[in-house]
């Protein structure tokens, strides 16, 4: 936590970034029904929020916590990038991180008519879990490069309409969350061209 506090002090004084100590998450702007928010009871707050740019994209960096069980509090760091259009609910998560999130946590919100999301990639050490509301779209983004980026970073990411939310466990210094944001920018750059012509058919 000491490294986190030092990082907060450094970035609060950096004019390239905008800092807020506590931000209430407004719904439906952010959807809590998916990773990492669904790993327990999420109390509508993002902590130590930093806004700026990474790889030329607007980004939000923050810490968050969820309560699971009676006393356990799980901490996460997130990096959220804006996308140019709304895309199907999708979550790709490094295998170990998906297991730690718990079997009851929903990777993505329930789809239309509460349909069962498509699970598209098998699980195992050194691999990812991929869950998508639209099987065709999920297969499109399940490229080897995107899976490799996710595994190497030990992270998860979720498409929340026109936002890409990357997440890792524990409160991390901003320098590490910026690394996560750079991974999210690389994932976005690796999306096949057909992603950017996608039209929601629901």
């Amino acid at each position: 936590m000491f490294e986190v506090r030092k990082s907060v002090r450094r970035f609060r004084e950096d004019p390239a970034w905008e800092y807020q100590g506590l931000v209430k998450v407004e719904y439906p702007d952010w959807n809590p029904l998916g990773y990492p928010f669904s790993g327990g009871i999420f109390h509508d707050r993002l902590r130590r929020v930093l806004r700026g740019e990474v790889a030329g994209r607007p980004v939000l960096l923050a810490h968050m916590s969820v309560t699971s069980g009676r006393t356990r509090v799980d901490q996460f760091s997130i990096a959220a990038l804006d996308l140019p259009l709304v895309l199907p609910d999708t979550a790709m998560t490094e295998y170990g991180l998906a297991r730690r999130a718990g079997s009851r946590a929903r990777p993505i919100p329930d789809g239309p008519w509460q349909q069962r999301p498509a699970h598209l990639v098998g699980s195992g050490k050194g691999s990812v879990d991929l869950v998508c509301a639209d099987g065709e779209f999920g297969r499109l983004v399940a490229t080897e490069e995107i899976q490799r980026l996710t595994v190497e970073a030990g992270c998860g990411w979720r498409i929340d309409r026109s936002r890409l939310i990357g997440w890792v466990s524990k409160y991390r210094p901003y320098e590490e969350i910026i690394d996560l944001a750079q991974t999210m920018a690389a994932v976005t750059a690796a999306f096949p061209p057909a992603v950017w012509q996608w039209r929601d058919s629901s």
Side-chain angles (χ1 to χ4, degrees):
M1 202 59 190
F2 177 66
E3 288 300 322
V4 171
R5 288 196 294 268
K6 286 201 306 182
S7 181
V8 169
R9 286 197 296 269
R10 283 194 295 270
F11 279 85
R12 286 183 71 167
E13 298 170 359
D14 187 336
W17 294 90
E18 175 191 343
Y19 176 83
Q20 291 176 275
L22 194 67
V23 172
K24 183 177 180 180
V25 173
E26 300 293 342
Y27 304 125
D29 185 42
W30 287 70
N31 197 327
L33 301 179
Y35 284 159
F37 308 98
S38 60
I41 299 171
F42 175 58
H43 298 286
D44 297 359
R45 297 291 188 275
L46 297 178
R47 303 176 185 277
R48 293 173 284 275
V49 174
L50 203 64
R51 290 186 174 90
E53 284 194 1
V54 170
R57 291 179 174 272
V59 66
L60 178 149
L61 315 176
H63 296 136
M64 58 164 287
S65 61
V66 298
T67 304
S68 53
R70 292 185 178 180
T71 58
R72 177 179 169 183
V73 177
D74 292 318
Q75 299 173 335
F76 302 102
S77 297
I78 67 170
L81 279 68
D82 291 341
L83 298 172
L85 73 164
V86 173
L87 296 171
D89 291 325
T90 305
M92 183 179 287
T93 315
E94 184 271 327
Y95 173 75
L97 185 58
R99 299 285 73 74
R100 291 192 294 276
S103 60
R104 294 184 180 181
R106 286 181 284 183
I108 63 173
D110 293 327
W113 309 290
Q114 306 299 301
Q115 70 206 41
R116 187 176 181 84
H119 289 257
L120 298 158
V121 178
S123 299
K125 188 175 181 180
S127 69
V128 299
D129 281 356
L130 175 63
V131 179
C132 186
D134 186 305
E136 182 181 351
F137 183 85
R139 284 184 287 274
L140 182 64
V141 298
T143 67
E144 288 186 9
E145 181 181 4
I146 291 174
Q147 292 183 55
R148 176 185 59 77
L149 287 166
T150 304
V151 169
E152 289 180 353
C155 71
W157 55 265
R158 175 167 69 89
I159 296 173
D160 178 11
R161 289 160 293 195
S162 60
R163 179 183 288 118
L164 182 69
I165 303 171
W167 62 289
V168 288
S169 61
K170 302 180 181 178
Y171 289 167
R172 309 289 182 100
Y174 287 132
E175 291 84 352
E176 293 185 25
I177 311 177
I178 289 172
D179 288 343
L180 173 64
Q182 290 171 335
T183 296
M184 294 303 97
V187 166
T188 304
F191 281 163
V195 165
W196 308 118
Q197 280 78 52
W198 193 266
R199 291 294 178 267
D200 187 359
S201 59
S202 63

